[in-house]
Structure formats: structure tokens, C-alpha cells
Amino acid sequence: MNIPQARCYVEVSRSIIAANYRAVRDAVASEGARVIAVVKADAYGHGSIEVSKALVEQGAEWLAVSSVEEGVALRRAGIPSRILVMAGIMPWECGALAEFNLTPVIHSLEELRLLNERCAGIQVHLKIDTGMNRLGALAEASEIIAALHAAPRVQVEGLMSHFASAADFTSEQTDAQIAAFHQMESSLTRLGFAAPIRHFASTNAVAYPRRDAWMSMVRTGHAIYGYVSPARGHAPHAILRVRPALSWRTRIVLVKEVPAGSRIGYGGAFVAPSRMRIAVLSAGYADGIPHRLSNRGKVIAGGRFAPIVGPVSMDLTTIDITASPEMKPGDVVTILGREGDVSLDAQQIARTAGTISYNVLCGISARVKRFYID
Ligand SMILES: *Cc1c(COP(=O)(O)O)cnc(C)c1O
């Protein structure tokens, strides 16, 4: 299938992905840090294989995914970079780690013992919990040292942690997390262990620069796709210049004129205040349009904003195109992206839908065809 036939599709620009990657790489190079490009969750909906290929072309040495399964998919597609598996491994996945040369992040000292038994020779990154209280080992430096000695067949190549609130400058949490990391690092060093690689920062801690957290590498996802979350409080200016790489479009299946007083869609909550021209779009919440955009979101039709009227349904969404009477079945409408001077990005959609841009991007469902442009 090509774009002229697709009912609902995204276009991902390889050159924008590449430019965003270079923007991150150049920003952190000043501090001697390198980039781990995060391509988990199918590259935040952009397509992990195509995105990884574009990143490898830019010289990306490290990629990160969530699961062993995601890492295996990249290896099967011929991706040669180091691949960090960040969201935990299952006891039965040890074989695949070795077979596909994946580097797991481990989150407990128990896991270190398990890998020492089952996966001799493997390199791992140890994540420490510096206060987010999700993944990461909560242990004393002395306990970590004892576990390292008890696991001589595992090489701890990296020491890492993850921020809970890096864009929130009303919170002390980021400073506290950085202090906890440095304290753990110096205790470990004093006890004779220094990890060759240390990493902590994701997009927000790069964009609103926390240079003391850039360390050897930064792990950025959102920025690679062209986004930086809005900051809270007195944040420094964002230093990254990145642009959204993905546009999301659908087609009109039907256009109709409805008289004043017509109720549109399930529930009948939207009542046409006057005669209206309605277009029915070939996309709904099963494609990832947030249901919360019902009666409050908008799309771009004919180069103008067109409000969503009535509920977003599973496969269809109704919009008001009274201002664009030239639109007809088969015409393309932009859910996320740009037409001329008018644009809508995942951040704006998220704000209207009461969610976050990550959720909008990852929510674009598998049935939406992905196309790649230069
Ligand atoms: C997803 C993730 C990242 C990337 O975060 P962004 O905000 O998209 O840059 C980094 N580290 C870990 C552990 C993650 O889970």
C-alpha cells in the first residue's frame, strides 16, 4: 500500500529524526557525554526498525528498548548498535540476552546472582533507585560491593538511575536524586568499584540542562522524536532545538450538510447550533485518537482548524468543515502535523485530551500505516 490508498497513516521524516539526534548529540558533546537513543515502544509509535536504521546511519552507538522482545526485533532487522534493555528481564530471557547480544539493566542484587549463574560473561548496567521508587536497586554501597564479588561472571559496565521530575523546577527532587547518585558513586569508588559508564539524564534533564547529570551518556527518547515537555517553575531556557518528526493523517469518508438542531453521533450530546457541513473521518479511538477529544479537539482540514463535533467513535470521527466547503470524500485531513501555517503537535493534542505527549504518540495504534519520507 502507498500513501494514496491509506485511510489513516503517519509519515515519519527520517531527516528530522536524524537532525534531532544530532541536536542532542551536539548539545551533550560539550560535556563529553554521548547519546543512548531510546527506541522503546516501537520508537514512541514512529516505528523502531526504521527509526533505528536512520539513527545508525547517524553513527548511533547505543539504542535502548524496554524489553528483550523489542531488542530481538532490532537484531533480526540487522541493527548492529549496542542495545540496552531497560524495563526488566524475566528469568527465562537469559538465553536471548546472550544470543542477541543485548545489554540488560538490572534492578536488584538478586538479579545479579541469577545472571551470574545463567548468563556468564554478560555485561549489565546496574540501576540504582535514587528516589523515584520504581525500578532500581535500593541497597547500600557495601551490599552492592558484596553482590559484585559474589557475581564474578557478570561485568557491571554501567551505573545508572532515572529522574522522576526533571522538568519540574518547583521541586527539589531532581537535586536530591543527583546528590544521592553522586554519594552512591563515591561510596562505591571508595570500596573499590567504579563503573566505566554512568548515565542518568533523559530528555528533560538534557533540554533544561542539568549538566552534572549528563555523565558519560544521556538516554533520550522524546527529543529524538522532536519534543521537550513543558517545564514547571523557574526553568532555564530549553537548549534543544528539535522538531516533531511525525505527521498523522486520515481521509474523509463522507461529507454531509445537517440542519440546525441535528444531534451528531453516539449519545447525541452535540447539537448543531445552525446548518453545518460535517465530514466523517476514517479514524477513531481504535487508531489512537483520544476519546477525550470528543467535542473539544480539532484537526486541520483544508489548511484550517476544524473542530471535532460529537464523540470520537471507534473507527470514525466527525468534524465541522463548514469553513472548508471544498473538502470531499478521499481528501486528507491532518490529525497531528502541519498544513501550511497551521499546525498541531502532540503536546497541544495532549493538553486538550488531558494527557501527555508521550501518551498521544504511543497511542497511535498498530493499524495506522507508517510511511517514511526523507
Ligand atoms: C523512556 C526512558 C527514557 C527516555 O525518556 P525521554 O523522556 O523520552 O527522553 C530514559 N530512561 C529510561 C529508564 C526510560 O524508561
Side-chain angles (χ1 to χ4, degrees):
M1 188 184 291
N2 49 21
I3 289 178
Q5 294 171 332
R7 294 167 69 103
C8 184
Y9 60 94
V10 300
E11 293 161 334
V12 177
S13 164
R14 291 193 189 90
S15 58
I16 295 178
I17 294 275
N20 291 342
Y21 173 78
R22 291 193 303 267
V24 176
R25 186 192 63 192
D26 295 350
V28 301
S30 61
E31 301 290 314
R34 292 176 298 148
V35 180
I36 304 177
V38 179
V39 297
K40 67 190 180 192
D42 204 24
Y44 297 33
H46 294 60
S48 63
I49 291 174
E50 290 298 326
V51 166
S52 297
K53 285 181 177 167
L55 294 169
V56 167
E57 249 173 56
Q58 297 299 310
E61 307 156 271
W62 279 90
L63 301 174
V65 295
S66 282
S67 64
V68 167
E69 194 179 344
E70 289 180 347
V72 169
L74 294 184
R75 286 287 182 247
R76 292 212 157 110
I79 301 298
S81 319
R82 293 290 302 274
I83 297 177
L84 190 69
V85 178
M86 299 191 297
I89 49 165
M90 299 295 161
W92 53 87
E93 290 176 327
C94 293
L97 290 173
E99 183 181 351
F100 294 94
N101 185 25
L102 305 173
T103 306
V105 174
I106 60 167
H107 303 100
S108 71
L109 303 180
E110 182 49 43
E111 266 181 304
L112 201 55
R113 282 187 276 275
L114 186 81
L115 287 177
N116 189 60
E117 275 169 31
R118 301 207 189 162
C119 210
I122 196 162
Q123 292 181 301
V124 305
H125 290 211
L126 172 63
K127 186 177 194 174
I128 56 168
D129 188 346
T130 50
M132 180 161 175
N133 290 304
R134 199 180 57 178
L135 287 175
L138 271 176
E140 301 292 329
S142 56
E143 297 170 311
I144 293 176
I145 294 291
L148 290 176
H149 285 310
R153 292 192 289 265
V154 175
Q155 190 200 335
V156 179
E157 176 190 34
L159 187 72
M160 62 180 282
S161 193
H162 191 47
F163 287 120
S165 312
D168 185 355
F169 285 80
T170 68
S171 160
E172 309 282 300
Q173 196 176 9
T174 303
D175 293 328
Q177 285 195 267
I178 293 174
F181 191 93
H182 286 316
Q183 195 177 350
M184 173 61 82
E185 242 192 320
S186 54
S187 302
L188 291 173
T189 306
R190 214 173 324 110
L191 295 169
F193 171 74
I197 301 177
R198 297 131 55 241
H199 46 103
F200 204 158
S202 51
T203 293
N204 290 336
V206 174
Y208 306 107
R210 305 271 191 170
R211 291 188 170 81
D212 51 348
W214 291 358
M215 305 181 180
S216 346
M217 300 201 290
V218 299
R219 306 182 306 268
T220 48
H222 215 206
I224 304 288
Y225 309 104
Y227 290 91
V228 170
S229 300
R232 297 188 61 202
H234 293 290
H237 281 294
I239 60 163
L240 289 178
R241 288 276 158 273
V242 292
R243 287 185 292 152
L246 177 149
S247 307
W248 182 11
R249 307 193 203 271
T250 185
R251 287 177 195 276
I252 294 174
V253 267
L254 186 70
V255 172
K256 63 173 61 161
E257 292 259 346
V258 299
S262 303
R263 292 180 183 279
I264 295 171
Y266 288 121
F270 183 86
V271 182
S274 54
R275 190 168 181 81
M276 276 177 107
R277 202 170 173 83
I278 299 297
V280 183
L281 304 180
S282 186
Y285 60 75
D287 300 280
I289 299 180
H291 186 260
R292 293 278 302 276
L293 293 183
S294 298
N295 260 329
R296 61 217 288 220
K298 58 191 176 188
V299 299
I300 307 168
R304 288 179 207 93
F305 286 124
I308 293 175
V309 291
V312 173
S313 44
M314 188 182 293
D315 307 302
L316 301 165
T317 299
T318 35
I319 61 169
D320 174 6
I321 54 158
T322 308
S324 304
E326 73 287 358
M327 301 294 292
K328 58 184 190 307
D331 284 354
V332 170
V333 162
T334 300
I335 301 167
L336 187 169
R338 170 177 292 280
E339 292 187 17
D341 293 336
V342 183
S343 69
L344 257 178
D345 67 20
Q347 210 87 65
Q348 293 164 294
I349 294 170
R351 205 173 304 124
T352 311
T355 181
I356 56 173
S357 47
Y358 296 73
N359 196 168
V360 170
L361 294 171
C362 293
I364 303 174
S365 75
R367 85 169 175 193
V368 178
K369 301 279 182 299
R370 268 69 174 170
F371 295 101
Y372 297 88
I373 57 178
D374 286 331

